[in-house]
Amino acid sequence: MDLNSYAELAVRLVNTAGAGGEDGDRLANLDGLRDLVADREHLNTGVTRNDLDAMRGLRAELRAFFVDCAQGDGEDAAARLNTLLIQHPVHPQLSGHDGQPWHVHYTESGSVADKYAAGAVMGLAVRLTDVGIDRFGVCQATGCQGVFIDTSTTNTRRFCSERCTNRANVSAFSARKQGEDGGDAKTPSALA
């Protein structure tokens, strides 16, 4: 069972709200929800308007969890996850889809949103106990709402995506360059 992929469900959901420098809410309609779950066979059929509404609410709760972690508030992060675990109980289920060997899925019977929530929340809970709260972060790029789980050996990740990293580096370079040019540049009136 790949618990990382379950925790990544939470990251993927939160990041539908305009992460990585992408504009707009990618969970604004049923097509957006279908895109989100397209690669999950047990989730990609029967999506309803109720699922969409539930997923938006779950997205807000999961983002709050990442914010709690990024602020070093382990008590609130754990309390939030415990509440979500109660709301979305997990039922392990054997699955052998797509030619894969038998493996365990964390699912909940019920709607697409229930199944997604059960897996995402259980994945976060297991990852939190494995790596601690300091590995869950909020993107530091200006205007980005993205989150991430830092799996680097140095625990130095600050951005949700390569795109945000590159944008921040270009912005920092431009600011340094402008600072260098601003102090040394001669104005036309000074040259006359």
Side-chain angles (χ1 to χ4, degrees):
M1 149 181 36
D2 182 12
L3 296 174
N4 292 328
S5 72
Y6 280 105
E8 282 301 317
L9 288 175
V11 172
R12 286 172 53 182
L13 177 58
V14 174
N15 288 351
T16 61
E22 294 184 23
D23 293 327
D25 181 355
R26 294 188 319 268
L27 201 59
N29 55 44
L30 287 174
D31 287 338
L33 179 53
R34 285 184 193 101
D35 288 346
L36 177 68
V37 299
D39 64 335
R40 299 288 175 153
E41 181 181 312
H42 66 291
L43 297 174
N44 65 14
T45 58
V47 173
T48 68
R49 171 66 59 189
N50 288 340
D51 289 320
L52 181 60
D53 294 341
M55 292 290 275
R56 285 184 187 144
L58 178 62
R59 179 175 66 184
E61 285 295 318
L62 293 175
R63 184 166 204 299
F65 162 78
F66 279 90
V67 169
D68 289 343
C69 289
Q71 293 174 346
D73 192 346
E75 293 293 322
D76 280 352
R80 189 174 305 278
L81 270 188
N82 283 333
T83 298
L84 288 169
L85 284 167
I86 291 167
Q87 290 173 351
H88 306 285
V90 172
H91 301 281
Q93 183 177 0
L94 283 175
S95 181
H97 58 86
D98 299 330
Q100 296 179 21
W102 290 105
H103 57 282
V104 175
H105 274 273
Y106 287 130
T107 62
E108 178 180 305
S109 59
S111 70
V112 169
D114 289 336
K115 292 174 186 176
Y116 195 101
V121 173
M122 185 63 184
L124 287 178
V126 171
R127 293 293 290 163
L128 178 67
T129 61
D130 284 348
V131 300
I133 67 166
D134 62 330
R135 294 296 184 139
F136 295 83
V138 174
C139 188
Q140 295 178 16
T142 303
C144 184
Q145 296 295 308
V147 299
F148 57 88
I149 301 171
D150 187 351
T151 57
S152 70
T153 56
T154 58
N155 193 21
T156 56
R157 186 169 173 183
R158 298 180 324 145
F159 303 102
C160 70
S161 66
E162 286 285 325
R163 185 174 180 180
C164 280
T165 301
N166 292 338
R167 285 181 30 227
N169 287 340
V170 167
S171 179
F173 176 79
S174 296
R176 282 192 308 274
K177 189 73 171 153
Q178 187 174 13
E180 291 171 5
D181 292 345
D184 297 336
K186 305 241 188 275
T187 62
S189 61
L191 296 174

